[in-house]
Amino acid sequence: MSWGETIRTGLAAIRSHAMRSVLTIVGILIGIAAVILTVGLGLGTQKDVSESISSLGSNLLIVRPGSVTSSEGIRGGFGSSTSLTLDDAAALGSAVAAPDIADVAAEASTSVSLENGDTNWTTTVTGTTTSWPQVRSRTLLQGEFFSDDDAEAGANVIVLGSETAAELFGSAWAAGRSLTIDSVTYEVIGVLAEQGSSDDTNLDDLAVVPMATYSAQISTSTTGASVQTIYIQATAQDTLSAAYQEAETLLLNLHGITDASAADFSISSQDALVSTATAVYRTLTVLLVGIAAIALLVGGIGVMNIMLVSVTERTREIGLRKALGAKPFAIRRQFLVEATTLGLVGGVLGVGLGVTLALALPTVLGSSIVVSWPAVFGALAVAVGIGVVFGVYPATRAAKLAPVDALRAE
Amino acid sequence: MAEAAVIRLDNVRKVYSSGEIECEALRGVSLTIDEGEYVAVVGPSGSGKSTLMNILGCLDVATEGRYEIAGEDVSQMDEVDLAEVRGRRIGFVFQQFNLLPAMSAWRNVELPLSYAGVGPAERKRRAVAALESVGLGEKLGNRPGQLSGGQQQRVAIARALVTEPTLLLADEPTGNLDSASAREILDVFDQVHRSGRTVVLITHDWDVARRTDRSIEVRDGMILERPQAPASQADES
Ligand SMILES: Nc1ncnc2c1ncn2[C@@H]1O[C@H](COP(=O)(O)OP(=O)(O)OP(=O)(O)O)[C@@H](O)[C@H]1O
Ligand SMILES: [Mg+2]
C-alpha cells in the first residue's frame, strides 16, 4: 500500500470520526495558542521594561552630591549639597585620567517660568554641556542642540522638550521662535524628540540651556560652579564597572578625601536597576513558561485520552483490516498519518490563533506580546509528538495482535 | 492428487490459556480439503468450529501441528507473511458482517485490493464487478447502515471474493439473518462453489450442511470419523 493510499485512508478515517477529530484538534489548538500567548506576554513585558530602562540612556553612571551611605546626617541631604562642580565634570571627561569614560554631561536645574507672549509654562530648566543629547540618549525633532560656541559664549539659546514646546507654541513649529525668562529673550533652537517618562520624571517636559547661560542668568544658587548631577557614559556595557572605579578614584582625589566611605558624592549605576529587572523577568518567565507548560500538558492529556480511546475502539477495525491482508506496517502508517494530521491541523490553527491574538491583544491590554518562534515550534513539536506517541504506540501494539484477538476486542 | 489439496491440517492442536486456566479447543485435528470442494463444518456450540475456522483463515495460529495452504506451510509464518497469505489466498465471511460503517459498499469491497497493491481504477472495476455478481449492482454507493442484513452479508461476500482467493471461508454466515435472507446467502455460496472455488462453511444447522458435498463434524475439539447427521426434518414430517 503506497503512501498516497495510506494518506487517503488516514484522512477518510479522520473524516469518519468527525467529532473525535474536532475535539483532538481543539485540544491541541488551545494548548498551542496558550503557549504562544503566555510566552509572548512574558517576552513582551521584558521588552517593555528594558525599553523603559534604556530610555534613561545606555551604559550610564549617575553621580550626585551627598552620600547615601551617610550615617552621621551632617552632610546635606541627597542632591541638595553643592559638593559637585563643573571642574569635577571636566576632570571626569579627561580621556587620560578616565579612559573608560566616553562622555560626561553635568546638569544643574531649577524650576522656572517660560513665557511666549501671554502664554506661560513652568518647567525645569537644565544647564548642561553639549554632550548631553549623546549621554542621555536624546534626539532632536526640530532644529538642533546648542553648539560648543553657544556653550562657551553663554548664548541665549534654549532647547525644549516636546510637551513644553506644545504648551508654549501649540502645534506650530517651535524652532526659530523665541521666548522669555525673567524678561530675557531666548531663541528656541531645537525641540527634543519624545522619550516618555521614567520613574516619575516626565522626560518630555523640560528645557535645556548651555551651562554658562544657566549659571549667569537662571541659577538662583550663589555658588555658580556647582552642579546637581553628573551623568557619565561608559565606553561600553562591560567597561561600566571600570568607569565606576575611575570616576570614584578621580572624584575622591579632587575632593581630597582618602576614605571612600566618607565620600561627599554617590555614584549609582543603571546596572543595579538592570539586574533587578533581569531577576524579575526571570521569575516572570519561569512563571509564564510554567503556565504554558500546564496548558500544553492539559491539552496533551486530552489528546492522549482521545487517541487511546480511539485506538481501543478501533482495535476491531485493525483486526478486520489485518484479516483483509493489511500488514502491520500499513496499520502503523495509517495511524501515524492520522495522528500527525490531527496534530498538525490543530497545531497550525493554534499557531494562527495564538499569533492573531498576539497581534490583536496588545492594543487592548497596553502591553506588548512578542511571538517567540522557538516557543511556537516547540509547542507544535510537543503537540504532534503527543499525538504520534499516543496514537501510534497503541496502534502498533494492536497491529501485532492476531486478527481474531483484535476482532474479539470490545 | 496431493498437489490438488488446498488445505492440509496435520494433528493441529489449539490451547487457549488465560492465566492459569487452559482450554484445549482443538485436540489433534487432521484434515485435507481439495481444490473445488464444497465443505460444511458442523458441530454443537463450543465444539471448536470457530477455532478451526480461524486457524484455516490464518486469523489465529495453532499451538501445535502443521498447516499447509496449497502446499505452502503457514504454521511457522510471522504476522507479515501471514498478512500476505490472508490477502492472496483467503476470503473470509464473518457472522457479524464486519463492514466499515463509514465507507460505501464498493469502498468496503475494494479494501483488500488496496492492501494487495492493486491500482485505484482496477480496484474500482473489480469491486463493482464483485458487487454485481452478488446482485448488488444497484447499491454500490450505499453505506452498510443503508443496507439490509442480507445485503450487508452479500457485500461481505463480494469483499471476500474480490481478490479471487483460493479459499472462501464463512463462519456462520447466516447466523444473524432471517430464514429468507439466509436462503439467498446460501444460494450465493452455491453459485460461488459452481464457479469452481473451494468453499468451507461453518454451521450448526444440518439442513445447511446437506447442501454441501461433504460435511465434517466436530465434537469436543476433534473430528468425528463418520458424521452423524440426524434424520432430516423434512423426512420426519
Ligand atoms: N479466546 C478464547 N479464550 C479461551 N477460550 C476460548 C477462546 N475462544 C474459544 N474458547 C473456547 O474454546 C472452545 C471452542 O470454542 P469455539 O468458539 O471454537 O466454539 P464453536 O464451535 O464455534 O461454538 P459456537 O457454535 O457456539 O460458535 C470453547 O470451549 C470456548 O470456550
Ligand atoms: Mg463459533
Side-chain angles (χ1 to χ4, degrees):
Chain A
M1 201 181 194
S2 69
W3 271 106
E5 280 299 319
T6 314
I7 289 170
R8 223 204 56 205
T9 311
L11 295 185
I14 287 174
R15 268 199 305 275
S16 65
H17 301 103
M19 186 62 185
R20 182 195 294 159
S21 304
V22 166
L23 286 178
T24 312
I25 288 172
V26 167
I28 295 174
L29 185 156
I30 289 173
I32 289 195
V35 169
I36 292 176
L37 286 179
T38 46
V39 172
L41 209 55
L43 293 174
T45 311
Q46 279 189 19
K47 184 172 139 256
D48 290 349
V49 173
S50 74
E51 269 173 8
S52 96
I53 288 174
S54 67
S55 72
L56 292 168
S58 52
N59 308 334
L60 217 53
L61 293 170
I62 302 162
V63 189
R64 290 201 167 95
S67 167
V68 281
T69 56
S70 165
S71 52
E72 298 131 70
I74 299 169
R75 282 187 296 271
F78 185 56
S80 68
S81 159
T82 55
S83 60
L84 290 178
T85 65
L86 277 174
D87 290 340
D88 291 339
L92 289 169
S94 148
V96 182
D100 294 308
I101 292 177
D103 240 327
V104 174
E107 283 187 8
S109 45
T110 188
S111 190
V112 159
S113 174
L114 313 181
E115 289 165 31
N116 167 33
D118 292 340
T119 319
N120 65 64
W121 180 250
T122 301
T123 189
T124 308
V125 175
T126 300
T128 188
T129 49
T130 50
S131 54
W132 188 85
Q134 156 70 20
V135 174
R136 300 296 308 269
S137 307
R138 298 301 296 260
T139 53
L140 277 97
L141 189 65
Q142 298 174 16
E144 52 197 7
F145 204 71
F146 53 79
S147 63
D148 288 331
D149 289 346
D150 291 333
E152 239 165 81
N156 285 357
V157 291
I158 192 163
V159 175
L160 301 178
S162 54
E163 276 180 32
T164 318
E167 291 294 346
L168 287 166
F169 300 103
S171 55
W173 186 263
R177 305 279 296 269
S178 54
L179 55 78
T180 58
I181 301 173
D182 282 342
S183 313
V184 180
T185 305
Y186 293 80
E187 187 195 350
V188 178
I189 56 168
V191 174
L192 296 164
E194 259 181 62
Q195 185 89 339
S197 49
S198 110
D199 301 333
D200 42 8
T201 318
N202 185 341
L203 295 171
D204 294 321
D205 182 16
L206 79 177
V208 187
V209 297
M211 186 57 95
T213 314
Y214 180 85
S215 315
Q217 297 174 138
I218 296 171
S219 170
T220 50
S221 148
T222 46
T223 50
S226 75
V227 297
Q228 284 150 10
T229 316
I230 300 174
Y231 288 92
I232 297 174
Q233 189 175 37
T235 49
Q237 181 79 49
D238 42 347
T239 56
L240 198 62
S241 61
Y244 185 102
Q245 293 297 331
E246 289 161 12
E248 186 174 43
T249 314
L250 205 61
L251 288 174
L252 287 172
N253 274 339
L254 285 170
H255 295 188
I257 298 166
T258 46
D259 180 8
S261 66
D264 56 355
F265 59 89
S266 65
I267 306 177
S268 59
S269 80
Q270 283 183 92
D271 249 13
L273 201 55
V274 169
S275 65
T276 312
T278 311
V280 172
Y281 310 150
R282 209 168 287 138
T283 318
L284 190 73
T285 309
V286 167
L287 178 79
L288 288 171
V289 166
I291 293 172
I294 290 171
L296 202 56
L297 190 71
V298 170
I301 288 173
V303 173
M304 181 184 88
N305 280 337
I306 294 169
M307 283 293 177
L308 288 177
V309 168
S310 156
V311 172
T312 312
E313 266 181 36
R314 293 173 63 193
T315 301
R316 284 176 60 86
E317 176 190 328
I318 292 173
L320 174 68
R321 286 178 185 272
K322 289 194 72 187
L324 300 180
K327 301 201 170 100
F329 80 84
I331 305 281
R332 279 201 303 274
R333 226 156 62 167
Q334 179 194 331
F335 276 79
L336 181 71
V337 167
E338 286 188 43
T340 313
T341 306
L342 291 178
L344 278 180
V345 170
V348 167
L349 291 179
V351 170
L353 180 69
V355 171
T356 307
L357 288 178
L359 294 178
L361 281 181
T363 54
V364 184
L365 293 177
S367 76
S368 350
I369 299 181
V370 175
V371 175
S372 153
W373 292 107
V376 168
F377 289 110
L380 207 57
V382 169
V384 175
I386 288 172
V388 167
V389 168
F390 292 103
V392 175
Y393 170 69
T396 302
R397 283 201 349 198
K400 281 193 194 123
L401 292 176
V404 256
D405 295 324
L407 280 168
R408 241 197 311 261
E410 291 303 318
Chain B
M1 290 254 284
E3 258 64 63
V6 169
I7 285 175
R8 188 190 297 277
L9 281 185
D10 189 15
N11 204 21
V12 163
R13 285 173 12 98
K14 177 69 185 178
V15 180
Y16 292 111
S17 47
S18 45
E20 299 182 356
I21 310 150
E22 289 209 338
C23 170
E24 194 171 5
L26 293 180
R27 303 191 285 176
V29 172
S30 299
L31 174 68
T32 304
I33 296 175
D34 290 331
E35 172 115 47
E37 270 198 282
Y38 191 12
V39 180
V41 175
V42 269
S45 185
S47 56
K49 304 185 295 294
S50 293
T51 305
L52 175 62
M53 199 60 134
N54 290 334
I55 288 173
L56 291 182
C58 297
L59 302 182
D60 206 354
V61 285
T63 314
E64 238 175 67
R66 187 180 166 86
Y67 174 30
E68 283 174 18
I69 298 178
E72 198 175 3
D73 183 7
V74 299
S75 34
Q76 302 303 323
M77 281 184 177
D78 63 13
E79 264 304 318
V80 177
D81 292 333
L82 283 176
E84 174 85 29
V85 170
R86 288 193 286 266
R88 194 159 38 89
R89 295 277 186 204
I90 294 160
F92 212 104
V93 177
F94 302 89
Q95 180 173 349
Q96 6 352 36
F97 319 143
N98 279 339
L99 299 172
L100 291 180
M103 291 191 194
S104 64
W106 77 267
R107 288 267 183 214
N108 265 289
V109 173
E110 71 156 11
L111 203 53
L113 291 177
S114 77
Y115 288 118
V118 179
E122 169 78 354
R123 282 207 305 264
K124 176 148 194 185
R125 193 185 60 71
R126 281 169 68 176
V128 170
L131 280 167
E132 278 166 354
S133 77
V134 295
L136 281 180
E138 311 280 275
K139 307 277 184 185
L140 299 175
N142 288 36
R143 303 251 184 99
Q146 300 163 332
L147 295 169
S148 73
Q151 287 169 334
Q152 288 183 54
Q153 193 60 305
R154 278 191 275 165
V155 173
I157 294 171
R159 182 179 64 188
L161 290 174
V162 76
T163 54
E164 313 206 318
T166 317
L167 185 60
L168 180 65
L169 299 174
D171 188 350
E172 308 261 16
T174 58
N176 281 358
L177 300 177
D178 61 72
S179 53
S181 310
R183 233 175 287 114
E184 280 172 32
I185 292 297
L186 291 169
D187 288 342
V188 174
F189 279 106
D190 290 350
Q191 180 196 320
V192 170
H193 160 63
R194 274 196 303 277
S195 74
R197 217 169 286 289
T198 313
V199 179
V200 180
L201 203 61
I202 284 191
T203 178
H204 53 258
D205 183 348
W206 276 102
D207 286 336
V208 172
R210 277 197 199 91
R211 298 172 70 123
T212 65
D213 304 337
R214 174 179 166 200
S215 297
I216 296 171
E217 188 171 359
V218 181
R219 280 271 167 90
D220 292 333
M222 288 188 287
I223 290 179
L224 293 191
E225 286 304 319
R226 270 172 5 99
Q228 303 174 343
S232 97
Q233 282 164 10
D235 292 349
E236 276 173 5
S237 60

